Amino acid sequence: MFTVRTKKYKLPFSRGSLARSLTRAGIEIVEAYHIAEEIRDVLEKKKTEEILSEELMEITYILLNDKGYKKEAKNYLVWRKFRELGKPIIILIGGGTGVGKSAISSDLGYRLGIRSIIGTDTVREVMRKIISEGLLPTLHTSSFKAYSTVESPSPYINKTIYAFETQVKYVSVGVEAVISRAIQEGFNLVINGIHLVHGYINIRKENSKIFHFVLYLKDNEEHINRFYARSYGTSRNAESYIKEFKRILDIQDFIVNKAREYDVPLIENNSLEKSLNFIMDHITGELAKEV
């Protein structure tokens, strides 16, 4: 067993930690573990009890290049150097109901080694315990059913969108508090949820790097199939979503249009892997500008 020394501390070498740093760079998970094993073998042959983190970084970079992973080697350096800046990364995954926000967030968190993943539905649930239904009725129902709790101020205003906006405004207060706490504590965070609509969240970017993505689906049949798929093994009733599908699409259109208005990256989430790769490439490209 040997340790890795940084400027501030030293830790036991971890194949898992190294593998995760390689997945951030774009290496597939299985291959990342194989490479991490190779690097561990190289270090064991050195018969040293301690290695500097800079030396480990150099060994990893050279090995990636030798294996033909030129792009991934550069990405690896970007992530390592950004980490040294000590800024937290906060990733917001927005989009309509049933487009795959939770699945993307879970896999993204795993690839990036981010343990803190929270949904805006959780934020809303906490707020429900604090604010009574009589005071804020839109907070106490689903986003696509909130229309049933309000009266539209005008017959020309879409009642579904009006109610959804009302809900978003209140949930955004809780989301902002979560983001502020993450920045204050300096930890990385992934937030996902339908309430992450740009223009309603006051995002403070000092001492952090915040990314916002919006997922959507064009294919209505695929969208409906996902309601059935995600209902398996849960208490979610697919039919209750399909019954309100027109309203779900109205809300999706609203979110997508807001994303276009604020130049938020839009991802048609037909493929989990392609969506993840797009997000990873985008984040890495932006981080490269910082280091």
Side-chain angles (χ1 to χ4, degrees):
M1 178 63 68
F2 49 90
T3 59
V4 180
R5 177 180 288 278
T6 70
K7 294 177 181 178
K8 296 181 179 179
Y9 53 84
K10 62 180 181 179
L11 292 169
F13 172 82
S14 167
R15 185 190 63 158
S17 294
L18 179 56
R20 279 194 297 275
S21 71
L22 295 175
T23 61
R24 292 187 197 109
I27 303 292
E28 294 296 327
I29 294 171
V30 174
E31 177 66 2
Y33 272 91
H34 286 322
I35 293 173
E37 284 179 355
E38 285 188 51
I39 293 171
R40 181 191 61 190
D41 293 342
V42 169
L43 297 177
E44 285 179 346
K45 287 177 182 177
K46 286 178 173 288
K47 295 183 178 179
T48 180
E49 294 183 357
E50 186 175 285
I51 183 173
L52 295 174
S53 62
E54 291 84 357
E55 186 180 355
L56 176 60
M57 182 171 65
E58 183 179 356
I59 291 171
T60 305
Y61 177 75
I62 291 172
L63 183 60
L64 288 174
N65 271 299
D66 288 346
K67 287 180 171 291
Y69 292 117
K70 307 294 183 183
K71 175 186 173 183
E72 291 79 1
K74 290 180 181 178
N75 290 348
Y76 171 74
L77 290 184
V78 168
W79 280 95
R80 283 296 302 265
K81 290 178 180 178
F82 182 80
R83 186 179 177 184
E84 291 172 3
L85 297 179
K87 291 183 178 181
I89 293 175
I90 296 167
I91 304 170
L92 311 179
I93 306 294
T97 304
V99 297
K101 301 181 295 296
S102 296
I104 287 287
S105 298
S106 179
D107 277 31
L108 191 61
Y110 180 79
R111 285 196 186 191
L112 297 178
I114 298 177
R115 298 184 181 89
S116 298
I117 302 174
I118 187 170
T120 60
D121 282 347
T122 300
V123 175
R124 182 180 60 184
E125 190 62 32
V126 172
M127 296 180 75
R128 284 174 177 174
K129 298 296 182 182
I130 301 170
I131 305 171
S132 71
E133 185 173 358
L135 189 60
L136 284 179
T138 57
L139 202 61
H140 289 260
T141 187
S142 300
S143 56
F144 53 86
K145 291 182 178 179
Y147 72 92
S148 63
T149 67
V150 298
E151 290 296 330
S152 177
S154 167
Y156 302 104
I157 294 176
N158 185 316
K159 192 176 180 181
T160 300
I161 301 305
Y162 173 73
F164 174 65
E165 280 189 277
T166 303
Q167 189 180 94
V168 167
K169 288 174 185 176
Y170 290 115
V171 175
S172 293
V173 175
V175 171
E176 287 174 15
V178 172
I179 293 173
S180 295
R181 184 67 176 179
I183 294 172
Q184 182 182 342
E185 296 291 328
F187 62 82
N188 300 327
L189 174 68
V190 177
I191 307 179
N192 69 77
I194 196 170
H195 307 96
L196 299 174
V197 183
H198 217 83
Y200 295 87
I201 302 173
N202 181 22
I203 299 175
R204 183 168 58 89
K205 293 190 175 182
E206 295 87 357
N207 302 317
S208 65
K209 196 67 180 175
I210 300 178
F211 299 93
H212 190 180
F213 303 92
V214 167
L215 310 180
Y216 71 99
L217 288 171
K218 279 185 180 179
D219 189 326
N220 290 348
E221 185 176 348
E222 169 65 16
H223 204 157
I224 289 171
N225 285 338
R226 292 198 184 184
F227 290 128
Y228 285 111
R230 76 178 194 165
S231 68
Y232 181 76
T234 73
S235 59
R236 288 172 166 175
N237 182 356
E239 296 300 331
S240 66
Y241 292 93
I242 294 167
K243 181 181 177 182
E244 301 285 0
F245 191 55
K246 173 62 170 63
R247 297 184 191 277
I248 287 172
L249 290 182
D250 284 348
I251 291 172
Q252 174 176 264
D253 289 344
F254 174 78
I255 294 170
V256 167
N257 288 333
K258 280 292 181 182
R260 290 196 176 108
E261 180 182 343
Y262 288 93
D263 293 322
V264 175
L266 280 163
I267 304 169
E268 186 178 0
N269 191 30
N270 293 323
S271 163
L272 177 70
E273 193 64 27
K274 287 182 180 178
S275 297
L276 283 169
N277 288 339
F278 175 89
I279 292 171
M280 292 295 296
D281 286 346
H282 180 90
I283 292 174
T284 303
E286 290 299 309
L287 295 185
K289 300 173 185 177
E290 299 267 328
V291 298

